[in-house]
Amino acid sequence: MWRSILAFGKSLLDSLRDLAPIILVIAFFQLVVLQQPIPNLAGLLGGTLLVTLGLTFFIYGLNMGLFPIGESMAQAFSQKGSIFWLLLFAFTLGFSTTIAEPALIAVAEEASEVAAEGGMIEASEQAMHSYATGLRLTVAFSVGLAIVIGVMRILKGWPIHYLIIGGYACITIMTAFAPRSIIGIAYDSGGVTTSTITVPLVTALGVGLASSIQGRNPMIDGFGLIAFASLTPMIFVMGYGMII
Amino acid sequence: MEWLASLLDTLLATLRDVFPIAAVIFGFQLLILRRPIPNLRRTLFGFFYVLLGLSLFLQGLEQALFPLGRLMAEQLTHPEFLADETTGLLQATHWMDYYWVYIFALAIGFSTTVAEPSLIAVAIKANQVSGGAIGVWGLRIAVAIGVAVGISLGTWRIVTGYPLHYFIITGYIFVIFQTFYAPRIIVPLAYDSGGVTTSTVTVPLVAALGLGLAESVPGRSPLLDGFGLIAFASLCPIISVMAYAQISEYRSKRSARKKA
């Protein structure tokens, strides 16, 4: 009992140390640069306490739930030996986690405003809504596809940099042809798709697969799924902007 | 009471985000793999902790740090702050006048990345897999430096108005060259670290900074120029993580040579 309380206290301290830089930065800019008092100090301290507790629980749960299940599923799939189901799982995981991602919803709405202002679509609410929904589906599809490509790469043992460099080349060529207003959003969309729950799960899946297949190194082959998931949305969003 | 209600809201929103993931995992486990989940109780508790932790985390950020951070981004980019103190005239036409913005971008990029939960997750995993060769803190600091440099470069771009794709494509060329010289073992992890840096903590603050800056700099439109900071924040860590590996390889080689 005492031991687990002690362990919890220790991880609480770790989380506090992780958060200390943000608190210092905000305090410095508020007090020294902007020279204003900190508004609602009690609320700020309460919020910081919540953040610290939250981070502690999250890391606890990560090691108990998300990491083990990601790895055990990867092992189960490689024992089952059905590539079709593994790839379908990879696609569904990528698609379903992205379609509901709040950051993506926000970006899609902004993109529809840009498109309406640029005269690419009608400035009516309906046209903007359908544009935003189409964009969300496109990005979710591209993330699903990215995880599929990434899993294929682990299975076949392809070197990652050829695929990534190919992707970069594709983005560079498309940038020349895509409408200028979509480029910023497209580049940003690569970063917003991977959420806090998806990342540990997908990482565990990749590492689990690479360690259960003979001849694969979990360090060299296990990582890289997220890299694909942040690359393909850029290509697909620019493609979407070119077609519509 | 109000506080509790908003916590409940966050919990429900997180539940909605987690639900599709849980459905996919349990659906495949039970229907396709057809085997019971190992340590079911422990796994469910783990999921519950992740859910609870993320909700508390988001609620706390929303309550404490985000409003202040957003306000700060607005104030630092506001013409009044940039106006000359003695004359009171707005003089911020030279890119140098925005120096506090660049410093803020640097500091906030570094500090939010250090606290980013998904980066902590990847760093823990990389440390386990590499048998301790890649340090949790080493990786996190390397990524945080990348994000910090990336975001302040991004704010400078918004101020000066150079096209985004010049920067990004130059970055790509740099990454490609570096890939061939960096230790092979770090390359996939470096590519990954571009995507993990930008989630819960960094995106909301950085987006506010970009939009605020694009609104206040004369001649910039928030819709066209406000974007791009996240792109910088996902590109620069790739470079900094590979550089971190290159530097540690160089140092270990040098000390090996000294011993010999």
Side-chain angles (χ1 to χ4, degrees), chain B residues 158-217:
Chain B
I158 293 178
V159 170
T160 52
Y162 292 122
L164 173 66
H165 54 272
Y166 291 176
F167 289 84
I168 300 295
I169 291 169
T170 314
Y172 284 167
I173 295 169
F174 200 85
V175 168
I176 292 171
F177 271 108
Q178 221 182 350
T179 300
F180 290 103
Y181 295 104
R184 236 185 104 215
I185 202 159
I186 200 78
V187 170
L189 186 63
Y191 288 163
D192 264 4
S193 57
V196 299
T197 50
T198 45
S199 41
T200 335
V201 199
T202 319
V203 171
L205 283 180
V206 165
L209 188 65
L211 290 175
L213 198 57
E215 253 166 41
S216 71
V217 178

Side-chain angles (χ1 to χ4, degrees), chain B residues 82 89-98 159-160 217-218 220:
Chain B
L82 298 159
L89 287 171
L90 180 63
Q91 289 195 322
T93 45
H94 193 255
W95 64 266
M96 285 283 283
D97 296 333
Y98 291 89
V159 170
T160 52
V217 178
R220 303 282 169 278

Side-chain angles (χ1 to χ4, degrees), chain B:
Chain B
M1 237 20 237
E2 198 183 310
W3 174 83
L4 207 65
S6 78
L7 179 65
L8 211 62
D9 269 353
T10 322
L11 195 67
L12 281 177
T14 317
L15 201 63
R16 208 185 50 213
D17 293 346
V18 175
F19 181 73
I21 302 172
V24 169
I25 288 182
F26 291 106
F28 269 86
Q29 184 83 30
L30 299 175
L31 299 176
I32 312 297
L33 293 169
R34 298 202 196 184
R35 56 173 77 188
I37 292 159
N39 297 324
L40 181 64
R41 235 176 76 101
R42 206 176 138 78
T43 310
L44 284 180
F45 263 109
F47 261 79
F48 172 73
Y49 280 144
V50 165
L51 200 70
L52 181 72
L54 210 55
S55 312
L56 287 175
F57 189 76
L58 292 174
Q59 172 66 26
L61 285 179
E62 206 49 69
Q63 187 184 321
L65 296 170
F66 282 169
L68 202 55
R70 281 199 204 107
L71 191 70
M72 230 169 247
E74 269 169 39
Q75 283 174 333
L76 285 173
T77 54
H78 199 270
E80 222 168 81
F81 176 75
L82 298 159
D84 193 75
E85 271 168 25
T86 46
T87 58
L89 287 171
L90 180 63
Q91 289 195 322
T93 45
H94 193 255
W95 64 266
M96 285 283 283
D97 296 333
Y98 291 89
Y99 60 93
W100 274 122
V101 174
Y102 311 136
I103 296 172
F104 182 69
L106 199 73
I108 208 80
F110 184 89
S111 58
T112 54
T113 307
V114 167
E116 196 67 77
S118 48
L119 178 61
I120 300 179
V122 169
I124 292 174
K125 198 86 232 171
N127 185 38
Q128 284 170 3
V129 171
S130 67
I134 292 165
V136 174
W137 274 98
L139 183 69
R140 282 169 68 191
I141 301 281
V143 173
I145 290 173
V147 174
V149 172
I151 292 176
S152 51
L153 211 63
T155 50
W156 180 72
R157 183 202 72 87
I158 293 178
V159 170
T160 52
Y162 292 122
L164 173 66
H165 54 272
Y166 291 176
F167 289 84
I168 300 295
I169 291 169
T170 314
Y172 284 167
I173 295 169
F174 200 85
V175 168
I176 292 171
F177 271 108
Q178 221 182 350
T179 300
F180 290 103
Y181 295 104
R184 236 185 104 215
I185 202 159
I186 200 78
V187 170
L189 186 63
Y191 288 163
D192 264 4
S193 57
V196 299
T197 50
T198 45
S199 41
T200 335
V201 199
T202 319
V203 171
L205 283 180
V206 165
L209 188 65
L211 290 175
L213 198 57
E215 253 166 41
S216 71
V217 178
R220 303 282 169 278
S221 128
L223 283 179
L224 292 180
D225 302 294
F227 295 98
L229 287 184
I230 295 166
F232 275 98
S234 3
L235 182 69
C236 292
I238 305 182
I239 297 172
S240 67
V241 169
M242 283 201 270
Y244 159 68
Q246 283 174 306
I247 291 168
S248 26
E249 194 191 44
Y250 172 76
R251 278 173 57 182
S252 68
K253 263 188 193 161
R254 205 176 56 170
S255 68
R257 215 178 295 147
K258 262 187 191 163
K259 268 182 202 153

Side-chain angles (χ1 to χ4, degrees), chain A residues 63-221:
Chain A
N63 286 320
M64 266 174 81
L66 284 184
F67 278 159
I69 199 156
E71 280 184 20
S72 82
M73 284 191 88
Q75 268 158 14
F77 270 116
S78 62
Q79 275 164 18
K80 194 175 161 72
S82 158
I83 292 181
F84 170 77
W85 286 116
L86 175 60
L87 293 182
L88 189 70
F89 174 70
F91 182 83
T92 333
L93 193 67
F95 186 88
S96 66
T97 54
T98 311
I99 193 82
E101 173 69 31
L104 176 63
I105 296 173
V107 166
E109 271 166 19
E110 279 163 20
S112 71
E113 278 171 40
V114 173
E117 196 150 293
M120 277 186 287
I121 55 168
E122 256 181 83
S124 71
E125 201 160 293
Q126 203 197 349
M128 276 163 68
H129 183 74
S130 74
Y131 184 87
T133 314
L135 192 65
R136 266 173 68 193
L137 282 171
T138 311
V139 173
F141 178 81
S142 72
V143 174
L145 191 70
I147 310 282
V148 168
I149 297 173
V151 166
M152 281 292 283
R153 177 191 85 87
I154 296 174
L155 296 177
K156 302 279 181 196
W158 295 329
I160 188 171
H161 51 274
Y162 292 126
L163 291 169
I164 297 286
I165 292 170
Y168 284 171
C170 199
I171 292 171
T172 309
I173 294 167
M174 285 179 89
T175 302
F177 298 101
R180 249 208 84 200
S181 54
I182 201 96
I183 291 173
I185 298 162
Y187 283 179
D188 270 6
S189 69
V192 298
T193 48
T194 41
S195 79
T196 314
I197 299 167
T198 324
V199 166
L201 206 57
V202 164
T203 307
L205 180 74
V207 169
L209 268 180
S211 30
S212 54
I213 299 172
Q214 265 208 327
R216 297 281 173 279
N217 177 333
M219 210 44 222
I220 291 174
D221 302 295

